Coordinates of all heavy atoms in Angstrom, one line a residue:
M1 N 0.8 -1.2 0.0 CA 0.0 0.0 0.0 C 0.9 1.2 0.0 O 0.4 2.3 -0.5 CB -1.0 0.0 1.2 CG -2.0 -1.1 1.0 SD -3.2 -1.1 2.4 CE -3.8 0.5 2.5
Y2 N 2.1 1.2 0.6 CA 2.9 2.4 0.6 C 3.4 2.9 -0.8 O 3.7 4.0 -0.9 CB 4.1 2.2 1.5 CG 5.1 1.3 1.0 CD1 6.2 1.8 0.2 CD2 5.1 -0.1 1.1 CE1 7.2 1.0 -0.4 CE2 6.1 -0.9 0.6 CZ 7.1 -0.3 -0.2 OH 8.1 -1.2 -0.8
R3 N 3.2 2.0 -1.8 CA 3.5 2.5 -3.1 C 2.5 3.3 -3.7 O 2.7 4.1 -4.7 CB 3.8 1.2 -4.0 CG 5.1 0.6 -3.6 CD 5.4 -0.6 -4.5 NE 6.5 -1.4 -4.0 CZ 7.0 -2.4 -4.5 NH1 6.6 -2.9 -5.6 NH2 8.1 -3.0 -3.9
T4 N 1.3 3.2 -3.2 CA 0.1 3.9 -3.7 C -0.3 5.1 -2.8 O -0.5 6.2 -3.3 CB -1.1 3.0 -3.9 OG1 -0.7 1.9 -4.8 CG2 -2.3 3.8 -4.5
L5 N -0.4 4.8 -1.5 CA -0.8 5.8 -0.6 C 0.5 6.6 0.0 O 1.5 6.1 -0.3 CB -1.6 5.2 0.6 CG -2.8 4.5 0.2 CD1 -3.4 3.8 1.5 CD2 -3.8 5.4 -0.4
G6 N 0.2 7.8 0.4 CA 1.3 8.6 1.0 C 1.7 9.7 0.0 O 0.8 10.1 -0.9
A7 N 2.9 10.2 0.1 CA 3.4 11.2 -0.8 C 4.6 10.7 -1.6 O 5.5 10.1 -1.1 CB 3.9 12.4 0.1
H8 N 4.5 10.9 -2.9 CA 5.5 10.5 -3.8 C 5.9 11.6 -4.8 O 5.0 12.1 -5.5 CB 4.9 9.3 -4.6 CG 4.5 8.1 -3.7 ND1 5.4 7.2 -3.3 CD2 3.3 7.8 -3.2 CE1 4.8 6.3 -2.5 NE2 3.5 6.7 -2.3
P9 N 7.2 11.9 -4.9 CA 7.6 12.9 -5.8 C 7.3 12.6 -7.2 O 7.3 11.4 -7.6 CB 9.2 12.9 -5.6 CG 9.4 12.2 -4.3 CD 8.2 11.3 -4.1
D10 N 6.9 13.6 -8.0 CA 6.5 13.3 -9.4 C 6.6 14.6 -10.2 O 7.0 15.7 -9.7 CB 5.0 13.0 -9.4 CG 4.5 12.3 -10.6 OD1 5.4 12.0 -11.5 OD2 3.3 11.9 -10.7
H11 N 6.4 14.6 -11.4 CA 6.4 15.7 -12.4 C 5.1 15.6 -13.1 O 4.8 14.5 -13.7 CB 7.6 15.7 -13.4 CG 8.8 16.0 -12.7 ND1 9.6 15.2 -12.0 CD2 9.5 17.2 -12.7 CE1 10.7 15.8 -11.5 NE2 10.7 17.0 -12.0
V12 N 4.4 16.7 -13.2 CA 3.2 16.7 -14.1 C 3.3 17.9 -15.0 O 3.6 19.1 -14.6 CB 1.9 16.9 -13.2 CG1 0.7 17.1 -14.0 CG2 1.8 15.6 -12.4
D13 N 3.2 17.7 -16.3 CA 3.4 18.7 -17.3 C 4.6 19.6 -17.1 O 4.7 20.8 -17.2 CB 2.2 19.7 -17.3 CG 0.8 19.0 -17.7 OD1 1.0 18.0 -18.5 OD2 -0.2 19.4 -17.2
G14 N 5.7 18.8 -16.7 CA 7.0 19.5 -16.6 C 7.2 20.2 -15.2 O 8.3 20.8 -15.0
V15 N 6.2 20.1 -14.4 CA 6.3 20.8 -13.1 C 6.6 19.8 -12.0 O 5.9 18.8 -11.8 CB 5.0 21.5 -12.7 CG1 5.0 22.2 -11.4 CG2 4.7 22.6 -13.9
A16 N 7.6 20.1 -11.1 CA 8.0 19.2 -10.0 C 7.0 19.4 -8.9 O 6.6 20.5 -8.6 CB 9.4 19.4 -9.6
G17 N 6.7 18.3 -8.2 CA 5.8 18.4 -7.1 C 5.6 17.0 -6.4 O 6.6 16.1 -6.6
T18 N 4.5 16.7 -5.8 CA 4.3 15.5 -5.1 C 2.9 15.0 -5.4 O 1.9 15.8 -5.3 CB 4.5 15.7 -3.7 OG1 5.9 16.1 -3.4 CG2 4.3 14.4 -2.8
Q19 N 2.8 13.8 -5.7 CA 1.4 13.1 -5.7 C 1.0 12.6 -4.3 O 1.8 11.9 -3.7 CB 1.5 11.9 -6.7 CG 1.6 12.2 -8.1 CD 0.3 12.7 -8.7 OE1 -0.7 12.7 -8.1 NE2 0.4 13.1 -10.0
F20 N -0.1 13.0 -3.9 CA -0.6 12.5 -2.5 C -1.8 11.6 -2.7 O -2.6 11.8 -3.6 CB -1.1 13.8 -1.8 CG 0.1 14.6 -1.3 CD1 0.5 15.7 -2.1 CD2 0.7 14.4 -0.2 CE1 1.5 16.6 -1.7 CE2 1.8 15.2 0.2 CZ 2.2 16.3 -0.5
A21 N -1.9 10.7 -1.8 CA -3.1 9.8 -1.7 C -3.2 9.3 -0.3 O -2.3 8.9 0.3 CB -2.9 8.6 -2.7
V22 N -4.5 9.5 0.3 CA -4.8 9.1 1.6 C -6.1 8.4 1.6 O -7.1 8.9 0.9 CB -4.7 10.3 2.6 CG1 -5.7 11.3 2.3 CG2 -4.8 9.8 4.1
W23 N -6.3 7.4 2.5 CA -7.6 6.8 2.6 C -8.3 7.5 3.8 O -7.9 7.5 4.9 CB -7.5 5.3 2.9 CG -8.7 4.6 3.0 CD1 -9.6 4.3 2.0 CD2 -9.3 3.9 4.2 NE1 -10.7 3.6 2.4 CE2 -10.5 3.3 3.7 CE3 -8.9 3.8 5.5 CZ2 -11.3 2.6 4.5 CZ3 -9.8 3.0 6.3 CH2 -11.0 2.5 5.9
A24 N -9.4 8.2 3.5 CA -10.3 8.9 4.4 C -11.7 8.7 4.0 O -12.4 9.6 3.5 CB -9.9 10.4 4.5
P25 N -12.3 7.5 4.3 CA -13.6 7.1 3.8 C -14.8 8.0 4.4 O -15.8 8.0 3.7 CB -13.8 5.7 4.1 CG -12.9 5.5 5.3 CD -11.7 6.4 5.1
N26 N -14.5 8.6 5.5 CA -15.6 9.4 6.1 C -15.5 10.9 6.0 O -16.2 11.6 6.6 CB -15.8 9.0 7.6 CG -16.2 7.6 7.8 OD1 -17.1 7.1 7.1 ND2 -15.5 6.9 8.6
A27 N -14.5 11.2 5.1 CA -14.3 12.7 4.9 C -15.3 13.2 3.8 O -15.7 12.5 2.9 CB -12.9 12.9 4.4
S28 N -15.6 14.5 3.9 CA -16.4 15.2 2.9 C -15.4 16.0 1.9 O -15.8 16.4 0.9 CB -17.4 16.1 3.4 OG -16.9 17.1 4.2
E29 N -14.1 16.2 2.5 CA -13.1 17.0 1.7 C -11.8 16.8 2.4 O -11.7 16.8 3.6 CB -13.5 18.5 1.7 CG -12.6 19.4 0.8 CD -13.1 20.8 0.8 OE1 -12.9 21.5 2.0 OE2 -13.4 21.3 -0.1
V30 N -10.7 16.7 1.5 CA -9.4 16.5 2.1 C -8.5 17.5 1.3 O -8.6 17.6 0.1 CB -8.8 15.1 1.9 CG1 -7.5 15.0 2.4 CG2 -9.7 14.1 2.7
S31 N -7.6 18.2 2.1 CA -6.6 19.1 1.5 C -5.3 18.7 2.0 O -5.2 18.2 3.1 CB -6.9 20.6 1.9 OG -8.1 21.1 1.3
V32 N -4.2 19.1 1.3 CA -2.8 19.1 1.7 C -2.6 20.4 2.3 O -2.8 21.4 1.7 CB -1.9 18.6 0.6 CG1 -0.5 18.8 1.1 CG2 -2.2 17.3 0.1
I33 N -2.1 20.5 3.5 CA -1.6 21.8 4.1 C -0.1 21.8 4.4 O 0.4 20.7 4.7 CB -2.4 22.1 5.4 CG1 -2.3 21.1 6.5 CG2 -3.9 22.4 5.0 CD1 -2.9 21.4 7.8
C34 N 0.5 22.9 4.1 CA 2.0 22.9 4.2 C 2.5 24.4 4.2 O 1.6 25.3 4.2 CB 2.6 22.2 2.9 SG 2.0 22.9 1.4
N35 N 3.8 24.5 4.3 CA 4.3 25.9 4.4 C 4.0 26.7 3.2 O 3.6 27.9 3.3 CB 5.9 25.8 4.4 CG 6.3 25.5 5.8 OD1 5.7 25.8 6.9 ND2 7.5 24.9 5.9
S36 N 3.9 26.1 2.0 CA 3.7 26.9 0.7 C 2.3 27.4 0.6 O 2.0 28.3 -0.2 CB 4.1 26.1 -0.5 OG 3.3 25.0 -0.7
N37 N 1.3 26.9 1.4 CA -0.1 27.3 1.3 C -0.5 27.9 2.7 O -1.7 28.0 3.0 CB -1.1 26.3 0.8 CG -1.2 25.1 1.7 OD1 -0.9 25.1 2.9 ND2 -1.6 24.0 1.1
D38 N 0.5 28.2 3.5 CA 0.3 28.9 4.8 C -0.6 28.0 5.7 O -1.3 28.5 6.5 CB -0.4 30.3 4.7 CG 0.5 31.3 4.0 OD1 1.8 31.2 4.3 OD2 0.0 32.0 3.2
W39 N -0.4 26.7 5.5 CA -1.2 25.7 6.3 C -2.7 26.0 6.3 O -3.4 25.8 7.3 CB -0.6 25.7 7.8 CG 0.8 25.3 7.7 CD1 1.9 26.1 7.7 CD2 1.4 24.0 7.8 NE1 3.1 25.3 7.6 CE2 2.8 24.0 7.7 CE3 0.8 22.7 7.9 CZ2 3.6 22.9 7.7 CZ3 1.6 21.5 7.9 CH2 3.0 21.7 7.8
A40 N -3.2 26.4 5.2 CA -4.6 26.7 5.0 C -5.4 25.7 4.3 O -5.0 25.3 3.2 CB -4.8 28.1 4.3
H41 N -6.5 25.2 4.9 CA -7.3 24.2 4.3 C -8.0 24.8 3.0 O -8.4 26.0 3.0 CB -8.4 23.8 5.3 CG -9.5 22.8 4.6 ND1 -9.2 21.4 4.7 CD2 -10.6 22.9 4.0 CE1 -10.2 20.8 4.1 NE2 -11.0 21.7 3.6
G42 N -8.1 24.0 2.0 CA -8.9 24.5 0.8 C -8.0 24.9 -0.4 O -8.5 25.1 -1.5
R43 N -6.7 25.1 -0.1 CA -5.8 25.6 -1.2 C -5.3 24.5 -2.1 O -5.0 24.8 -3.3 CB -4.7 26.5 -0.6 CG -5.2 27.7 0.0 CD -4.1 28.7 0.3 NE -4.6 29.8 1.0 CZ -3.8 30.7 1.6 NH1 -2.6 30.5 1.7 NH2 -4.4 31.7 2.3
N44 N -5.0 23.3 -1.5 CA -4.7 22.2 -2.3 C -5.6 21.0 -2.0 O -5.2 20.1 -1.4 CB -3.2 21.9 -1.9 CG -2.2 22.9 -2.4 OD1 -1.7 23.6 -1.6 ND2 -2.1 23.1 -3.7
V45 N -6.8 21.1 -2.6 CA -7.8 20.1 -2.4 C -7.6 18.8 -3.2 O -7.1 18.9 -4.4 CB -9.2 20.6 -2.7 CG1 -10.3 19.6 -2.5 CG2 -9.5 21.9 -1.9
L46 N -7.7 17.7 -2.6 CA -7.6 16.4 -3.3 C -8.9 15.9 -3.8 O -10.0 16.4 -3.3 CB -7.0 15.4 -2.3 CG -5.6 15.7 -1.7 CD1 -5.2 14.6 -0.7 CD2 -4.6 16.0 -2.7
W47 N -8.9 15.0 -4.8 CA -10.1 14.4 -5.3 C -10.4 13.1 -4.7 O -9.5 12.3 -4.5 CB -9.8 14.1 -6.8 CG -9.5 15.4 -7.6 CD1 -8.2 15.9 -7.9 CD2 -10.5 16.3 -8.2 NE1 -8.4 17.0 -8.7 CE2 -9.8 17.3 -8.8 CE3 -11.9 16.3 -8.2 CZ2 -10.3 18.3 -9.5 CZ3 -12.4 17.4 -8.8 CH2 -11.7 18.4 -9.4
G48 N -11.7 12.9 -4.3 CA -12.1 11.7 -3.7 C -12.7 10.7 -4.7 O -13.1 11.1 -5.8
N49 N -12.7 9.4 -4.3 CA -13.3 8.4 -5.1 C -14.2 7.6 -4.3 O -14.3 7.8 -3.1 CB -12.3 7.5 -5.9 CG -11.5 6.6 -5.0 OD1 -11.9 6.2 -3.9 ND2 -10.3 6.2 -5.5
D50 N -14.9 6.7 -4.9 CA -15.9 5.9 -4.2 C -15.4 4.9 -3.2 O -16.1 4.3 -2.4 CB -16.8 5.1 -5.3 CG -17.7 6.0 -6.1 OD1 -17.9 7.1 -5.6 OD2 -18.1 5.5 -7.1
N51 N -14.1 4.7 -3.2 CA -13.4 3.7 -2.3 C -12.9 4.5 -1.1 O -12.2 3.9 -0.2 CB -12.3 3.0 -3.0 CG -12.8 2.1 -4.1 OD1 -13.8 1.5 -3.9 ND2 -12.1 2.0 -5.1
G52 N -13.1 5.8 -1.0 CA -12.6 6.6 0.2 C -11.2 7.0 0.1 O -10.6 7.6 1.0
V53 N -10.6 6.9 -1.1 CA -9.2 7.4 -1.4 C -9.3 8.8 -2.0 O -10.0 9.0 -2.9 CB -8.4 6.4 -2.3 CG1 -7.1 7.1 -2.5 CG2 -8.3 5.0 -1.6
W54 N -8.5 9.7 -1.4 CA -8.4 11.1 -1.8 C -7.0 11.3 -2.4 O -6.0 10.9 -1.7 CB -8.7 12.1 -0.7 CG -10.0 11.9 -0.1 CD1 -10.5 11.0 0.8 CD2 -11.1 12.8 -0.4 NE1 -11.8 11.3 1.0 CE2 -12.2 12.4 0.3 CE3 -11.2 13.9 -1.2 CZ2 -13.5 13.0 0.2 CZ3 -12.5 14.5 -1.3 CH2 -13.5 14.1 -0.5
S55 N -6.9 11.8 -3.6 CA -5.6 11.9 -4.2 C -5.5 13.2 -5.1 O -6.5 13.8 -5.5 CB -5.2 10.7 -5.1 OG -6.3 10.6 -6.1
G56 N -4.3 13.5 -5.4 CA -4.0 14.7 -6.2 C -2.5 15.1 -6.2 O -1.7 14.6 -5.4
F57 N -2.2 16.0 -7.1 CA -0.8 16.5 -7.3 C -0.7 17.9 -6.7 O -1.6 18.7 -6.9 CB -0.4 16.5 -8.8 CG 0.9 17.1 -9.1 CD1 2.0 16.3 -8.9 CD2 1.1 18.4 -9.5 CE1 3.3 16.8 -9.2 CE2 2.3 18.9 -9.9 CZ 3.4 18.1 -9.7
V58 N 0.3 18.1 -5.9 CA 0.6 19.5 -5.4 C 2.0 19.9 -5.9 O 3.0 19.2 -5.6 CB 0.5 19.5 -3.9 CG1 0.9 20.9 -3.4 CG2 -0.8 19.1 -3.4
A59 N 2.0 20.9 -6.7 CA 3.2 21.5 -7.3 C 4.1 22.1 -6.2 O 3.6 22.7 -5.3 CB 3.0 22.5 -8.4
G60 N 5.4 21.9 -6.4 CA 6.4 22.5 -5.5 C 6.7 21.9 -4.2 O 7.7 22.3 -3.6
I61 N 6.0 20.9 -3.8 CA 6.3 20.2 -2.5 C 7.4 19.2 -2.9 O 7.3 18.4 -3.8 CB 5.1 19.5 -1.9 CG1 4.1 20.7 -1.4 CG2 5.5 18.7 -0.7 CD1 3.0 20.1 -0.7
R62 N 8.5 19.2 -2.1 CA 9.6 18.3 -2.4 C 9.8 17.3 -1.2 O 9.3 17.5 -0.2 CB 11.0 19.2 -2.5 CG 10.8 20.2 -3.7 CD 12.1 21.1 -3.6 NE 12.2 21.6 -2.1 CZ 12.6 22.8 -1.8 NH1 13.0 23.6 -2.8 NH2 12.7 23.2 -0.6
P63 N 10.5 16.3 -1.5 CA 10.9 15.3 -0.4 C 11.5 16.0 0.8 O 12.4 16.8 0.6 CB 11.9 14.3 -1.0 CG 11.5 14.4 -2.5 CD 11.1 15.8 -2.8
G64 N 11.0 15.8 2.0 CA 11.5 16.4 3.2 C 10.7 17.6 3.6 O 10.8 18.1 4.8
D65 N 9.8 18.2 2.7 CA 9.0 19.3 3.2 C 7.9 18.8 4.1 O 7.4 17.7 3.9 CB 8.3 19.9 1.9 CG 9.2 20.7 1.0 OD1 10.4 20.9 1.4 OD2 8.8 21.1 -0.1
A66 N 7.5 19.6 5.1 CA 6.5 19.3 6.1 C 5.1 19.5 5.4 O 4.9 20.5 4.7 CB 6.7 20.1 7.3
Y67 N 4.3 18.6 5.7 CA 2.9 18.7 5.3 C 2.0 17.8 6.2 O 2.5 17.0 7.0 CB 2.7 18.2 3.9 CG 2.9 16.7 3.8 CD1 1.8 15.8 3.8 CD2 4.1 16.1 3.6 CE1 1.9 14.4 3.7 CE2 4.3 14.8 3.5 CZ 3.2 13.9 3.6 OH 3.4 12.5 3.5
K68 N 0.7 18.1 6.2 CA -0.3 17.3 6.9 C -1.5 17.3 5.9 O -1.6 18.0 5.0 CB -0.8 18.0 8.1 CG 0.2 17.9 9.3 CD -0.4 18.6 10.5 CE 0.6 18.7 11.6 NZ -0.1 19.3 12.8
Y69 N -2.5 16.4 6.3 CA -3.8 16.3 5.6 C -4.8 17.1 6.5 O -4.8 16.9 7.7 CB -4.3 14.9 5.4 CG -3.4 14.1 4.5 CD1 -2.6 13.1 4.9 CD2 -3.4 14.4 3.1 CE1 -1.8 12.3 4.0 CE2 -2.6 13.7 2.2 CZ -1.8 12.7 2.7 OH -1.0 12.0 1.8
S70 N -5.5 18.0 5.9 CA -6.6 18.7 6.5 C -7.9 18.0 6.1 O -8.2 18.1 4.9 CB -6.6 20.1 6.2 OG -7.6 20.9 6.8
I71 N -8.6 17.4 7.0 CA -9.8 16.6 6.6 C -11.1 17.2 7.2 O -11.1 17.6 8.3 CB -9.6 15.2 7.2 CG1 -8.4 14.5 6.6 CG2 -10.9 14.3 6.9 CD1 -8.0 13.2 7.2
R72 N -12.0 17.5 6.3 CA -13.3 18.1 6.7 C -14.2 16.8 6.8 O -14.4 16.0 5.9 CB -13.9 19.0 5.7 CG -15.2 19.6 6.2 CD -15.7 20.7 5.2 NE -14.8 21.7 5.0 CZ -14.6 22.8 5.8 NH1 -15.1 22.9 7.0 NH2 -13.7 23.8 5.5
T73 N -14.8 16.7 8.0 CA -15.7 15.5 8.3 C -17.1 15.9 7.7 O -17.4 17.0 7.4 CB -15.8 15.3 9.8 OG1 -16.5 16.4 10.4 CG2 -14.4 15.1 10.4
K74 N -17.9 14.8 7.8 CA -19.3 15.0 7.3 C -20.1 15.9 8.1 O -21.1 16.6 7.8 CB -19.9 13.7 7.0 CG -19.3 13.0 5.9 CD -19.9 11.6 5.6 CE -19.1 11.0 4.5 NZ -19.6 9.7 4.2
S75 N -19.6 16.1 9.5 CA -20.3 17.0 10.4 C -19.6 18.4 10.3 O -19.8 19.2 11.2 CB -20.3 16.5 11.8 OG -18.9 16.2 12.3
N76 N -18.8 18.6 9.3 CA -18.1 19.9 9.0 C -17.0 20.3 10.0 O -16.6 21.5 10.0 CB -19.2 21.1 9.0 CG -18.8 22.2 8.0 OD1 -18.1 21.9 7.0 ND2 -19.2 23.4 8.4
D77 N -16.4 19.4 10.7 CA -15.3 19.7 11.6 C -14.1 19.6 10.7 O -14.0 18.8 9.8 CB -15.2 18.7 12.7 CG -16.3 18.7 13.7 OD1 -16.7 19.9 14.1 OD2 -16.9 17.8 14.2
L78 N -13.0 20.3 11.1 CA -11.7 20.2 10.4 C -10.7 19.5 11.3 O -10.6 19.9 12.4 CB -11.1 21.6 10.0 CG -11.6 22.2 8.7 CD1 -11.0 23.6 8.4 CD2 -11.3 21.2 7.5
L79 N -10.1 18.5 10.8 CA -9.1 17.7 11.5 C -7.7 17.7 10.8 O -7.8 17.7 9.5 CB -9.5 16.2 11.6 CG -10.9 16.0 12.2 CD1 -11.1 14.5 12.1 CD2 -11.0 16.4 13.6
E80 N -6.7 17.9 11.5 CA -5.3 17.9 10.9 C -4.7 16.6 11.3 O -4.6 16.3 12.4 CB -4.5 19.1 11.3 CG -5.0 20.4 10.8 CD -4.2 21.6 11.2 OE1 -3.1 21.4 11.8 OE2 -4.5 22.7 10.8
K81 N -4.3 15.9 10.3 CA -3.7 14.5 10.4 C -2.4 14.4 9.8 O -2.3 14.8 8.6 CB -4.7 13.4 10.0 CG -6.1 13.4 10.6 CD -5.9 12.9 12.1 CE -7.3 12.8 12.7 NZ -7.2 12.2 14.1
S82 N -1.5 13.6 10.4 CA -0.3 13.3 9.7 C -0.5 12.1 8.7 O -1.5 11.5 8.8 CB 0.8 12.9 10.8 OG 0.4 11.8 11.5
D83 N 0.4 11.9 7.9 CA 0.3 10.9 6.9 C 0.7 9.6 7.4 O 1.9 9.4 7.8 CB 1.2 11.3 5.7 CG 1.0 10.4 4.5 OD1 0.5 9.3 4.6 OD2 1.4 10.8 3.4
P84 N -0.2 8.6 7.5 CA 0.2 7.3 8.1 C 1.2 6.5 7.2 O 1.9 5.6 7.7 CB -1.1 6.5 8.1 CG -2.0 7.2 7.2 CD -1.6 8.7 7.1
F85 N 1.4 6.9 6.0 CA 2.4 6.3 5.1 C 3.6 7.2 4.8 O 4.4 7.0 3.9 CB 1.7 5.9 3.7 CG 0.9 4.7 3.9 CD1 -0.5 4.8 4.1 CD2 1.4 3.4 3.8 CE1 -1.3 3.7 4.3 CE2 0.6 2.3 4.0 CZ -0.7 2.5 4.2
A86 N 3.8 8.2 5.7 CA 4.9 9.1 5.5 C 6.3 8.4 5.7 O 6.4 7.5 6.4 CB 4.9 10.2 6.6
F87 N 7.2 8.8 4.8 CA 8.6 8.2 4.9 C 9.4 8.9 6.0 O 10.4 8.3 6.5 CB 9.3 8.4 3.5 CG 8.7 7.5 2.4 CD1 7.8 8.1 1.5 CD2 9.0 6.1 2.4 CE1 7.2 7.3 0.5 CE2 8.4 5.4 1.4 CZ 7.6 6.0 0.5
Y88 N 9.1 10.1 6.4 CA 9.7 10.8 7.4 C 8.6 11.5 8.3 O 7.6 11.8 7.9 CB 10.6 12.0 6.8 CG 11.7 11.4 5.9 CD1 11.4 11.5 4.5 CD2 12.8 10.8 6.2 CE1 12.3 11.1 3.5 CE2 13.8 10.4 5.3 CZ 13.5 10.5 4.0 OH 14.3 10.1 3.0
S89 N 9.1 11.8 9.5 CA 8.2 12.6 10.4 C 9.1 13.5 11.3 O 10.2 13.3 11.4 CB 7.3 11.7 11.3 OG 8.1 10.9 12.2
E90 N 8.4 14.5 11.8 CA 9.2 15.5 12.6 C 9.2 15.0 14.0 O 8.2 14.6 14.6 CB 8.4 16.8 12.5 CG 9.1 18.0 13.0 CD 8.4 19.3 12.7 OE1 7.2 19.4 13.2 OE2 8.8 20.1 12.0
H91 N 10.4 15.1 14.7 CA 10.5 14.8 16.0 C 10.8 16.0 16.8 O 11.6 16.9 16.5 CB 11.7 13.8 16.2 CG 12.1 13.5 17.6 ND1 11.3 12.8 18.5 CD2 13.0 14.0 18.4 CE1 11.8 12.7 19.7 NE2 12.8 13.5 19.6
R92 N 10.0 16.2 17.8 CA 10.1 17.4 18.7 C 10.6 16.8 20.1 O 9.8 16.2 20.8 CB 8.9 18.2 18.8 CG 8.5 18.8 17.5 CD 7.3 19.6 17.7 NE 6.9 20.1 16.4 CZ 6.3 21.2 16.2 NH1 5.9 22.0 17.1 NH2 5.9 21.6 14.9
P93 N 11.8 17.2 20.5 CA 12.3 16.7 21.8 C 11.5 17.3 22.9 O 11.0 18.4 22.8 CB 13.8 17.2 21.8 CG 13.9 18.2 20.8 CD 12.7 18.1 19.8
K94 N 11.4 16.5 24.0 CA 10.7 17.0 25.2 C 11.5 18.1 25.8 O 12.7 18.2 25.8 CB 10.5 15.9 26.2 CG 9.6 14.8 25.7 CD 9.4 13.7 26.7 CE 8.6 12.6 26.2 NZ 8.5 11.5 27.2
T95 N 10.8 19.1 26.3 CA 11.5 20.3 27.0 C 11.1 20.3 28.4 O 10.1 19.8 28.9 CB 11.1 21.6 26.3 OG1 9.7 21.7 26.3 CG2 11.6 21.7 24.9

């Protein structure tokens, strides 16, 4: 599944970026949030399918860039979730 889901570097029409795919069967909308979109839901919306997989290409995101999924639930709540198939994650030491 890690070959399909998660974040994978790609080029679309000569533009470098990342293909994203996440399984969120109970979502009404999924966006990728990151530094380049000021961590704002709705700027990089993914496409959903009947199997609950949301996917899409986001230009400019490179391997190692921080991102999360912003998931709008059917009850209109917004949740921010890390990628369960991420190749890297951020570690914050205890202070």
Side-chain angles (χ1 to χ4, degrees):
M1 288 180 59
Y2 73 90
R3 291 182 186 180
T4 302
L5 298 176
H8 300 276
D10 199 2
H11 286 80
V12 172
D13 297 329
V15 177
T18 300
Q19 290 283 353
F20 289 93
V22 63
W23 187 64
N26 295 315
S28 64
E29 184 179 68
V30 177
S31 293
V32 174
I33 57 174
C34 57
N35 284 331
S36 64
N37 64 23
D38 296 321
W39 299 90
H41 179 88
R43 293 193 184 164
N44 294 110
V45 178
L46 302 180
W47 299 96
N49 70 21
D50 292 339
N51 297 319
V53 176
W54 295 80
S55 60
F57 178 77
V58 179
I61 295 184
R62 300 174 309 216
D65 286 352
Y67 70 92
K68 290 183 186 180
Y69 294 110
S70 178
I71 300 170
R72 184 174 306 281
T73 67
K74 292 180 181 176
S75 61
N76 211 33
D77 294 319
L78 274 179
L79 308 174
E80 292 183 3
K81 299 289 186 174
S82 61
D83 188 341
F85 286 93
F87 290 100
Y88 305 99
S89 64
E90 192 173 62
H91 172 73
R92 293 185 185 207
K94 294 181 182 179
T95 55

